[in-house]
Amino acid sequence: SSDLLWTANNIGVTLLNKLAFATVDFHYPYFLSFVHMVCNSVGSQLVFSSLERDMKSGTTGIFQRLLGNIARKELDEKGKKYIIAFSVIFSLNIAIGNVSLRHVSVNFNQVMRSLVPAITIAMGLLLGKKISSNRIIAVLPVVVGVAMACFGDMTFSSLGFFYTVMCILLAALKVVASGEMLTGALKLHPVDLLGHMAPLAMVQCVFLSFMTGEINSIASRPELYTRSEE
């Protein structure tokens, strides 16, 4: 069920992002990524505050029933460096993914993203991890199935192809890195990891948006509308 929820969420976010670029004319992928990170930051803080209230009142709220008990961990210097590095990978993955959607079709994006499990396995093998042959074989029908389901409008530009390749490489690296953060020395809960990482990624995304001129363009749009109406 968790895999189905992840797949539905992934496709839903992709479609909504594409809709923002194509229909709403919100062609600011880095700022859109900043909005994503704001929502992640606020959402994780809401979860923590809800769990804290449940703990004080002795009740069991919806988040506790869904996620269990989540204890925020204090990070040492090494842990903080890991979080900063992971936040860079995370924010770049989302930002470049949003940029690629401006240059490729949703079908092409999803077919390319189906390669992420295979690339993740390849990265794991390069890092010396033991991966069973059954897991490797299980990836093949996933890739073929997504390709068959999404085959259709496979339009893309050379720049879009480059961004999409970068996106799936970063996505695979994010999976490997998050696995280490969740099961390695830190052993953070996924929501705790998101709470530590999202505010940093939020700052990084808004910095990218400012450096690429997106924020200035957004700020100037109301003036452009006023001039056009006059």
PDB file of all heavy atoms in Angstrom, residues 7 9 11 14 33 43 52 61 67 77 80-81 96 115 117 120 124 141 144 184 190 200 203 207 211:
ATOM      1  N   THR A   7       3.666   5.989  -5.472  1.00  0.00           N
ATOM      2  CA  THR A   7       3.516   6.120  -6.924  1.00  0.00           C
ATOM      3  C   THR A   7       2.457   7.158  -7.257  1.00  0.00           C
ATOM      4  O   THR A   7       2.660   8.016  -8.131  1.00  0.00           O
ATOM      5  CB  THR A   7       3.138   4.763  -7.548  1.00  0.00           C
ATOM      6  OG1 THR A   7       4.145   3.802  -7.238  1.00  0.00           O
ATOM      7  CG2 THR A   7       3.005   4.884  -9.060  1.00  0.00           C
ATOM      8  N   ASN A   9       1.409   9.627  -5.385  1.00  0.00           N
ATOM      9  CA  ASN A   9       1.891  10.943  -4.989  1.00  0.00           C
ATOM     10  C   ASN A   9       2.892  11.485  -6.009  1.00  0.00           C
ATOM     11  O   ASN A   9       2.845  12.663  -6.382  1.00  0.00           O
ATOM     12  CB  ASN A   9       2.538  10.855  -3.615  1.00  0.00           C
ATOM     13  CG  ASN A   9       3.065  12.189  -3.141  1.00  0.00           C
ATOM     14  OD1 ASN A   9       2.316  13.101  -2.833  1.00  0.00           O
ATOM     15  ND2 ASN A   9       4.384  12.318  -3.091  1.00  0.00           N
ATOM     16  N   ILE A  11       3.229  10.713  -9.255  1.00  0.00           N
ATOM     17  CA  ILE A  11       2.564  11.082 -10.505  1.00  0.00           C
ATOM     18  C   ILE A  11       1.716  12.334 -10.309  1.00  0.00           C
ATOM     19  O   ILE A  11       1.689  13.231 -11.158  1.00  0.00           O
ATOM     20  CB  ILE A  11       1.702   9.913 -11.014  1.00  0.00           C
ATOM     21  CG1 ILE A  11       2.596   8.728 -11.397  1.00  0.00           C
ATOM     22  CG2 ILE A  11       0.863  10.339 -12.219  1.00  0.00           C
ATOM     23  CD1 ILE A  11       1.852   7.481 -11.803  1.00  0.00           C
ATOM     24  N   THR A  14       3.916  15.416 -10.216  1.00  0.00           N
ATOM     25  CA  THR A  14       4.429  15.684 -11.563  1.00  0.00           C
ATOM     26  C   THR A  14       3.365  16.354 -12.422  1.00  0.00           C
ATOM     27  O   THR A  14       3.639  17.341 -13.119  1.00  0.00           O
ATOM     28  CB  THR A  14       4.890  14.369 -12.227  1.00  0.00           C
ATOM     29  OG1 THR A  14       5.925  13.782 -11.436  1.00  0.00           O
ATOM     30  CG2 THR A  14       5.430  14.643 -13.632  1.00  0.00           C
ATOM     31  N   SER A  33       9.929  24.835  -6.414  1.00  0.00           N
ATOM     32  CA  SER A  33      10.606  23.913  -5.496  1.00  0.00           C
ATOM     33  C   SER A  33      10.673  24.507  -4.095  1.00  0.00           C
ATOM     34  O   SER A  33      10.549  23.788  -3.099  1.00  0.00           O
ATOM     35  CB  SER A  33      12.022  23.610  -6.001  1.00  0.00           C
ATOM     36  OG  SER A  33      11.980  23.047  -7.296  1.00  0.00           O
ATOM     37  N   GLY A  43       4.566  21.133   7.185  1.00  0.00           N
ATOM     38  CA  GLY A  43       3.919  19.861   7.455  1.00  0.00           C
ATOM     39  C   GLY A  43       4.621  19.060   8.530  1.00  0.00           C
ATOM     40  O   GLY A  43       3.968  18.507   9.432  1.00  0.00           O
ATOM     41  N   GLU A  52       3.451  16.205  20.103  1.00  0.00           N
ATOM     42  CA  GLU A  52       3.777  16.758  21.422  1.00  0.00           C
ATOM     43  C   GLU A  52       2.507  16.999  22.243  1.00  0.00           C
ATOM     44  O   GLU A  52       2.469  16.712  23.447  1.00  0.00           O
ATOM     45  CB  GLU A  52       4.558  18.059  21.252  1.00  0.00           C
ATOM     46  CG  GLU A  52       5.075  18.632  22.564  1.00  0.00           C
ATOM     47  CD  GLU A  52       5.914  19.882  22.357  1.00  0.00           C
ATOM     48  OE1 GLU A  52       6.196  20.225  21.186  1.00  0.00           O
ATOM     49  OE2 GLU A  52       6.283  20.507  23.360  1.00  0.00           O
ATOM     50  N   GLY A  61      -3.380  10.608  18.790  1.00  0.00           N
ATOM     51  CA  GLY A  61      -3.897  11.336  17.639  1.00  0.00           C
ATOM     52  C   GLY A  61      -3.679  10.585  16.340  1.00  0.00           C
ATOM     53  O   GLY A  61      -3.111   9.491  16.307  1.00  0.00           O
ATOM     54  N   LEU A  67       2.003   7.092  12.227  1.00  0.00           N
ATOM     55  CA  LEU A  67       3.463   7.137  12.183  1.00  0.00           C
ATOM     56  C   LEU A  67       4.140   6.528  13.398  1.00  0.00           C
ATOM     57  O   LEU A  67       5.352   6.288  13.362  1.00  0.00           O
ATOM     58  CB  LEU A  67       3.928   8.597  12.026  1.00  0.00           C
ATOM     59  CG  LEU A  67       3.361   9.358  10.828  1.00  0.00           C
ATOM     60  CD1 LEU A  67       3.735  10.830  10.918  1.00  0.00           C
ATOM     61  CD2 LEU A  67       3.859   8.761   9.516  1.00  0.00           C
ATOM     62  N   GLU A  77      27.979  17.244  15.217  1.00  0.00           N
ATOM     63  CA  GLU A  77      28.556  17.964  14.083  1.00  0.00           C
ATOM     64  C   GLU A  77      28.587  17.113  12.822  1.00  0.00           C
ATOM     65  O   GLU A  77      28.296  17.588  11.715  1.00  0.00           O
ATOM     66  CB  GLU A  77      29.969  18.448  14.428  1.00  0.00           C
ATOM     67  CG  GLU A  77      30.002  19.567  15.450  1.00  0.00           C
ATOM     68  CD  GLU A  77      29.248  20.801  14.964  1.00  0.00           C
ATOM     69  OE1 GLU A  77      29.379  21.145  13.768  1.00  0.00           O
ATOM     70  OE2 GLU A  77      28.531  21.412  15.780  1.00  0.00           O
ATOM     71  N   LYS A  80      25.075  16.838  11.438  1.00  0.00           N
ATOM     72  CA  LYS A  80      24.654  18.078  10.787  1.00  0.00           C
ATOM     73  C   LYS A  80      25.253  18.202   9.386  1.00  0.00           C
ATOM     74  O   LYS A  80      24.589  18.679   8.458  1.00  0.00           O
ATOM     75  CB  LYS A  80      25.066  19.276  11.646  1.00  0.00           C
ATOM     76  CG  LYS A  80      24.275  19.392  12.944  1.00  0.00           C
ATOM     77  CD  LYS A  80      24.760  20.564  13.772  1.00  0.00           C
ATOM     78  CE  LYS A  80      23.984  20.654  15.092  1.00  0.00           C
ATOM     79  NZ  LYS A  80      24.474  21.770  15.943  1.00  0.00           N
ATOM     80  N   LYS A  81      26.504  17.760   9.226  1.00  0.00           N
ATOM     81  CA  LYS A  81      27.133  17.800   7.905  1.00  0.00           C
ATOM     82  C   LYS A  81      26.420  16.858   6.945  1.00  0.00           C
ATOM     83  O   LYS A  81      26.233  17.172   5.771  1.00  0.00           O
ATOM     84  CB  LYS A  81      28.612  17.429   8.024  1.00  0.00           C
ATOM     85  CG  LYS A  81      29.458  18.482   8.724  1.00  0.00           C
ATOM     86  CD  LYS A  81      30.906  18.043   8.840  1.00  0.00           C
ATOM     87  CE  LYS A  81      31.750  19.095   9.558  1.00  0.00           C
ATOM     88  NZ  LYS A  81      33.162  18.652   9.719  1.00  0.00           N
ATOM     89  N   ILE A  96      15.795  20.504 -10.232  1.00  0.00           N
ATOM     90  CA  ILE A  96      16.130  20.106 -11.600  1.00  0.00           C
ATOM     91  C   ILE A  96      14.993  19.297 -12.209  1.00  0.00           C
ATOM     92  O   ILE A  96      14.723  19.383 -13.414  1.00  0.00           O
ATOM     93  CB  ILE A  96      17.455  19.316 -11.617  1.00  0.00           C
ATOM     94  CG1 ILE A  96      18.605  20.257 -11.240  1.00  0.00           C
ATOM     95  CG2 ILE A  96      17.715  18.688 -12.987  1.00  0.00           C
ATOM     96  CD1 ILE A  96      19.964  19.604 -11.203  1.00  0.00           C
ATOM     97  N   LEU A 115      13.534   4.437 -14.400  1.00  0.00           N
ATOM     98  CA  LEU A 115      14.891   3.892 -14.373  1.00  0.00           C
ATOM     99  C   LEU A 115      15.577   4.100 -13.029  1.00  0.00           C
ATOM    100  O   LEU A 115      16.648   3.527 -12.795  1.00  0.00           O
ATOM    101  CB  LEU A 115      15.740   4.543 -15.478  1.00  0.00           C
ATOM    102  CG  LEU A 115      15.262   4.349 -16.916  1.00  0.00           C
ATOM    103  CD1 LEU A 115      16.134   5.168 -17.872  1.00  0.00           C
ATOM    104  CD2 LEU A 115      15.299   2.880 -17.309  1.00  0.00           C
ATOM    105  N   PRO A 117      15.019   2.998  -9.904  1.00  0.00           N
ATOM    106  CA  PRO A 117      15.388   1.800  -9.131  1.00  0.00           C
ATOM    107  C   PRO A 117      16.603   1.074  -9.686  1.00  0.00           C
ATOM    108  O   PRO A 117      17.455   0.608  -8.916  1.00  0.00           O
ATOM    109  CB  PRO A 117      14.124   0.926  -9.216  1.00  0.00           C
ATOM    110  CG  PRO A 117      13.015   1.890  -9.460  1.00  0.00           C
ATOM    111  CD  PRO A 117      13.604   2.958 -10.315  1.00  0.00           C
ATOM    112  N   THR A 120      19.650   3.087  -8.868  1.00  0.00           N
ATOM    113  CA  THR A 120      19.904   2.963  -7.425  1.00  0.00           C
ATOM    114  C   THR A 120      20.651   1.674  -7.126  1.00  0.00           C
ATOM    115  O   THR A 120      21.603   1.652  -6.330  1.00  0.00           O
ATOM    116  CB  THR A 120      18.585   3.000  -6.644  1.00  0.00           C
ATOM    117  OG1 THR A 120      17.899   4.227  -6.926  1.00  0.00           O
ATOM    118  CG2 THR A 120      18.846   2.902  -5.150  1.00  0.00           C
ATOM    119  N   GLY A 124      24.390   1.189  -5.602  1.00  0.00           N
ATOM    120  CA  GLY A 124      24.639   0.334  -4.450  1.00  0.00           C
ATOM    121  C   GLY A 124      25.747  -0.671  -4.711  1.00  0.00           C
ATOM    122  O   GLY A 124      26.589  -0.919  -3.844  1.00  0.00           O
ATOM    123  N   PRO A 141      10.498  -5.710 -14.667  1.00  0.00           N
ATOM    124  CA  PRO A 141       9.083  -5.496 -15.013  1.00  0.00           C
ATOM    125  C   PRO A 141       8.565  -4.121 -14.603  1.00  0.00           C
ATOM    126  O   PRO A 141       7.627  -3.606 -15.222  1.00  0.00           O
ATOM    127  CB  PRO A 141       8.357  -6.612 -14.250  1.00  0.00           C
ATOM    128  CG  PRO A 141       9.301  -7.068 -13.199  1.00  0.00           C
ATOM    129  CD  PRO A 141      10.668  -6.853 -13.755  1.00  0.00           C
ATOM    130  N   VAL A 144       9.656  -1.830 -17.512  1.00  0.00           N
ATOM    131  CA  VAL A 144       8.867  -2.159 -18.704  1.00  0.00           C
ATOM    132  C   VAL A 144       7.408  -1.753 -18.504  1.00  0.00           C
ATOM    133  O   VAL A 144       6.773  -1.189 -19.411  1.00  0.00           O
ATOM    134  CB  VAL A 144       8.974  -3.660 -19.024  1.00  0.00           C
ATOM    135  CG1 VAL A 144       8.041  -4.021 -20.183  1.00  0.00           C
ATOM    136  CG2 VAL A 144      10.403  -4.033 -19.364  1.00  0.00           C
ATOM    137  N   GLY A 184      21.430   3.969   8.747  1.00  0.00           N
ATOM    138  CA  GLY A 184      22.851   3.969   9.097  1.00  0.00           C
ATOM    139  C   GLY A 184      23.083   4.388  10.534  1.00  0.00           C
ATOM    140  O   GLY A 184      22.318   4.043  11.438  1.00  0.00           O
ATOM    141  N   PRO A 190      11.734   8.939   9.173  1.00  0.00           N
ATOM    142  CA  PRO A 190      11.542   9.719   7.942  1.00  0.00           C
ATOM    143  C   PRO A 190      11.017  11.127   8.176  1.00  0.00           C
ATOM    144  O   PRO A 190      11.471  12.076   7.530  1.00  0.00           O
ATOM    145  CB  PRO A 190      10.527   8.863   7.159  1.00  0.00           C
ATOM    146  CG  PRO A 190      10.780   7.470   7.614  1.00  0.00           C
ATOM    147  CD  PRO A 190      11.170   7.584   9.058  1.00  0.00           C
ATOM    148  N   LEU A 200      16.512  23.588   5.341  1.00  0.00           N
ATOM    149  CA  LEU A 200      17.755  23.869   4.617  1.00  0.00           C
ATOM    150  C   LEU A 200      17.515  23.883   3.113  1.00  0.00           C
ATOM    151  O   LEU A 200      17.990  24.780   2.400  1.00  0.00           O
ATOM    152  CB  LEU A 200      18.806  22.813   4.964  1.00  0.00           C
ATOM    153  CG  LEU A 200      19.290  22.780   6.414  1.00  0.00           C
ATOM    154  CD1 LEU A 200      20.186  21.574   6.645  1.00  0.00           C
ATOM    155  CD2 LEU A 200      20.037  24.059   6.757  1.00  0.00           C
ATOM    156  N   VAL A 203      15.809  27.100   1.951  1.00  0.00           N
ATOM    157  CA  VAL A 203      16.729  28.231   1.774  1.00  0.00           C
ATOM    158  C   VAL A 203      17.517  28.083   0.476  1.00  0.00           C
ATOM    159  O   VAL A 203      17.709  29.050  -0.272  1.00  0.00           O
ATOM    160  CB  VAL A 203      17.684  28.332   2.982  1.00  0.00           C
ATOM    161  CG1 VAL A 203      18.742  29.403   2.738  1.00  0.00           C
ATOM    162  CG2 VAL A 203      16.909  28.635   4.257  1.00  0.00           C
ATOM    163  N   PHE A 207      17.341  30.581  -2.815  1.00  0.00           N
ATOM    164  CA  PHE A 207      18.593  31.179  -3.277  1.00  0.00           C
ATOM    165  C   PHE A 207      18.766  30.955  -4.780  1.00  0.00           C
ATOM    166  O   PHE A 207      19.129  31.883  -5.523  1.00  0.00           O
ATOM    167  CB  PHE A 207      19.774  30.572  -2.519  1.00  0.00           C
ATOM    168  CG  PHE A 207      21.123  31.041  -2.994  1.00  0.00           C
ATOM    169  CD1 PHE A 207      21.581  32.307  -2.680  1.00  0.00           C
ATOM    170  CD2 PHE A 207      21.923  30.215  -3.780  1.00  0.00           C
ATOM    171  CE1 PHE A 207      22.824  32.746  -3.128  1.00  0.00           C
ATOM    172  CE2 PHE A 207      23.149  30.644  -4.234  1.00  0.00           C
ATOM    173  CZ  PHE A 207      23.607  31.918  -3.900  1.00  0.00           C
ATOM    174  N   MET A 211      18.996  33.810  -7.644  1.00  0.00           N
ATOM    175  CA  MET A 211      20.157  33.913  -8.532  1.00  0.00           C
ATOM    176  C   MET A 211      19.773  33.794 -10.001  1.00  0.00           C
ATOM    177  O   MET A 211      20.446  34.361 -10.866  1.00  0.00           O
ATOM    178  CB  MET A 211      21.177  32.836  -8.170  1.00  0.00           C
ATOM    179  CG  MET A 211      21.828  33.024  -6.802  1.00  0.00           C
ATOM    180  SD  MET A 211      22.697  34.607  -6.646  1.00  0.00           S
ATOM    181  CE  MET A 211      24.028  34.363  -7.837  1.00  0.00           C
TER     182      MET A 211
END
